[in-house]
Amino acid sequence: MTSAGFTPLIELSGVNKHFGALHVLRDVDLVVGRGEVVVVIGPSGSGKSTLCRTINRLEPIESGTISVDGQPLPTEGKGLARLRAEVGMVFQSFNLFAHKSVLQNVALAQVKVRRRPREEAEARARDLLERVGLTGQADKYPAQLSGGQQQRVAIARALAMDPKALLFDEPTSALDPEMINEVLDVMRGLAQDGMTMVVVTHEMGFARSAANRVVFMADGRVVEDREPEAFFAEPRSERAKDFLSKILKH
């Protein structure tokens, strides 16, 4: 699905991945354009999170190709570290450094990986904490924050690297219901600002409102890849119809 002005940023072609005998990704093709928000949904075990994790090589693949901004994924070494700076990741469990303050969490990789002077890194960290609505929390430690606040720190930390794209692997599934919207609101803001995002989520409201495309996966395959309005109004596959009938009733 390409159109005028569409510039591919992330491209997967014929990607396969096994965990032992389990074939978790089966010949997956996916192109994400610059500035697009692609939301990946599907039943548990469909390969969504694995797909997300292959894009910055947290999971190696057995066959197929993945490229970011026209460059094939490096397998290891400095090239891989550089890629991970270009493609930020926000996990289900916030993965913050417990013994470092919020400000240090957001500044650290800027200094270590981007080689920014500490003062510049901290100034950028404060700007980003303001952007995610956490201005007053810079000197606190992760344990002093709610889950929603910790996840917003994790988003600020990913943004601090000035990535070309952000990957979100079920960013709200570990949160209490009242905290989910504060994280989704930050993500909606990023979408409006033109950040390229691949989001694995169960939040159908977010998929409807923020996505340019919804990718529906089942059994390790991409079953549908369509605009949200069309997908939710009239899914083409029986798998998608069945999935939506189960989750949209609640």
Side-chain angles (χ1 to χ4, degrees):
M1 192 170 125
T2 57
S3 58
F6 182 94
T7 315
L9 182 67
I10 297 167
E11 297 181 81
L12 289 79
S13 177
V15 169
N16 282 278
K17 168 77 182 172
H18 288 78
F19 289 123
L22 193 62
H23 198 168
V24 273
L25 294 177
R26 298 170 181 259
D27 295 317
V28 170
D29 297 330
L30 179 67
V31 179
V32 179
R34 196 179 297 280
E36 263 199 315
V37 178
V38 173
V39 171
V40 184
I41 64 172
S44 292
S46 57
K48 311 181 295 289
S49 288
T50 305
L51 172 77
C52 194
R53 292 167 70 88
T54 61
I55 297 172
N56 69 351
R57 217 182 151 78
L58 284 172
E59 292 290 354
I61 60 173
E62 277 119 36
S63 63
T65 59
I66 301 177
S67 62
V68 175
D69 211 3
Q71 301 295 314
L73 240 57
T75 49
E76 54 192 14
K78 282 191 175 150
L80 185 55
R82 216 169 7 250
L83 169 90
R84 289 198 179 135
E86 301 290 339
V87 181
M89 183 128 188
V90 178
F91 300 89
Q92 186 175 339
S93 53
F94 329 117
N95 288 17
L96 300 175
F97 295 115
H99 61 291
K100 293 192 181 297
S101 71
V102 165
L103 187 72
Q104 288 169 326
N105 264 285
V106 181
L108 186 68
Q110 298 181 63
V111 176
K112 296 264 190 233
V113 180
R114 291 286 191 215
R115 301 277 180 236
R116 285 183 186 144
R118 187 167 300 283
E119 296 73 26
E120 189 187 318
E122 289 189 353
R124 171 100 174 112
R126 287 184 195 281
D127 287 347
L128 287 167
L129 288 171
E130 185 178 344
R131 184 175 180 182
V132 300
L134 293 172
T135 308
Q137 312 295 337
D139 297 326
K140 289 190 176 169
Y141 286 83
Q144 296 173 283
L145 303 181
S146 71
Q149 289 172 323
Q150 289 186 60
Q151 193 60 294
R152 286 184 282 151
V153 173
I155 294 171
R157 180 180 60 181
L159 288 172
M161 304 300 282
D162 302 314
K164 291 177 179 171
L166 280 181
L167 311 174
F168 292 84
D169 186 10
E170 302 200 7
T172 57
S173 62
L175 300 178
D176 293 334
E178 70 271 18
M179 293 171 193
I180 289 173
N181 276 334
E182 67 192 50
V183 173
L184 293 179
D185 284 346
V186 168
M187 292 167 63
R188 283 190 187 98
L190 294 176
Q192 284 159 5
D193 293 345
M195 172 59 76
T196 307
M197 294 158 64
V198 177
V199 183
V200 174
T201 187
H202 295 288
E203 297 297 329
M204 296 301 132
F206 178 82
R208 280 176 186 239
S209 65
N212 300 97
R213 282 159 50 210
V214 170
V215 169
F216 174 75
M217 289 186 73
D219 305 318
R221 299 180 193 279
V222 172
V223 179
E224 301 200 30
D225 179 349
R226 299 170 65 202
E227 291 180 355
E229 236 167 88
F231 174 76
F232 285 108
E234 211 169 325
R236 290 180 182 143
S237 62
E238 286 308 316
R239 287 304 303 268
K241 283 177 192 163
D242 181 53
F243 175 76
L244 290 175
S245 73
K246 285 175 180 155
I247 58 162
L248 296 178
K249 275 178 189 158
H250 297 305

